[in-house]
Structures are given as structure tokens and as C-alpha cells.
């Protein structure tokens, strides 16, 4: 679900950041989680879905908390070389700014 970024990166990511950078097995878990999150992305909407079936074409719920997932996507993109993950994160951030930030 939409919590995967802060659940996985907040634990395994911090294990790498604050622990041994070569912790065996942590990086693949983070990259796999990013790929799982990427499945919730819809290129027509330009965002990752918070809840619901990833194939639901009638509703697309997004909450502001999804921004917490971007660190996971950017990090996994940099480490794995998968630029699509970074593009998904940039798209989600841009669309959030367009749709959620008021002019005032």
C-alpha cells in the first residue's frame, strides 16, 4: 500500500544509512519495495495511488502522505540505475504541487 515507502525506507534504509553500508540483503529489499510501489503509479494521472485496486479506472485516491514515498523511489532509482523509478517520483511530486498546493 501507500505506506511502503516510509515503512521500508524508514527501517531498511536507515539500516544502511546509520549502519554498515554493505548490509547484505538490505538494498535488494528496498529496490523490490520501490518496484512494488511503482505498480501503484498511473501514467495518465501522473501519481501513485494511495488505496484501492491498481486496475481501478473509476477511482484514484491520493493522499498527501504519498510524498513520503518519494525518498524510496529516488534512492532505489539512484542505486539500481532504474531511471523510471526517479521519473515516477518526479511526476508524483510535480502533480501533487499542481493539484494540492493553493496559490495563497
Amino acid at each position: 500500500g501507500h505506506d511502503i515507502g516510509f515503512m521500508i525506507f524508514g527501517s531498511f534504509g536507515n539500516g544502511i544509512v546509520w549502519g554498515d553500508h554493505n548490509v547484505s540483503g538490505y538494498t535488494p529489499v528496498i529496490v523490490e519495495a520501490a518496484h512494488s510501489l511503482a505498480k501503484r503509479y498511473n501514467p495518465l494521472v501522473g501519481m501513485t495511488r494511495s488505496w484501492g485496486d491498481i486496475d481501478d479506472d473509476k477511482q484514484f485516491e491520493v493522499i498527501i502522505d504519498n510524498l513520503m514515498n518519494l525518498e524510496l523511489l529516488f534512492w532505489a532509482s539512484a542505486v539500481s540505475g532504474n531511471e523510471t523509478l526517479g521519473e515516477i517520483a518526479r511526476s508524483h511530486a510535480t502533480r501533487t504541487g499542481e493539484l494540492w498546493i493553493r496559490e495563497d
Side-chain angles (χ1 to χ4, degrees), residues 17-84:
V17 171
W18 299 111
D20 181 354
H21 291 277
N22 297 314
V23 175
S24 177
Y26 281 20
T27 297
V29 169
I30 296 169
V31 171
E32 182 177 341
H35 284 279
S36 177
L37 176 60
K39 292 176 185 174
R40 302 192 68 73
Y41 178 76
N42 181 312
L44 295 176
V45 178
M47 303 179 92
T48 58
R49 178 187 309 268
S50 297
W51 289 289
D53 184 2
I54 62 173
D55 297 322
D56 184 350
D57 62 355
K58 298 201 179 4
Q59 292 189 87
F60 198 94
E61 295 180 274
V62 178
I63 61 172
I64 198 76
D65 294 12
N66 273 17
L67 290 173
M68 298 289 292
N69 290 313
L70 302 188
E71 182 179 24
L72 169 74
L73 292 169
F74 281 127
W75 189 92
S77 175
V79 169
S80 71
N82 182 334
E83 294 178 12
T84 300

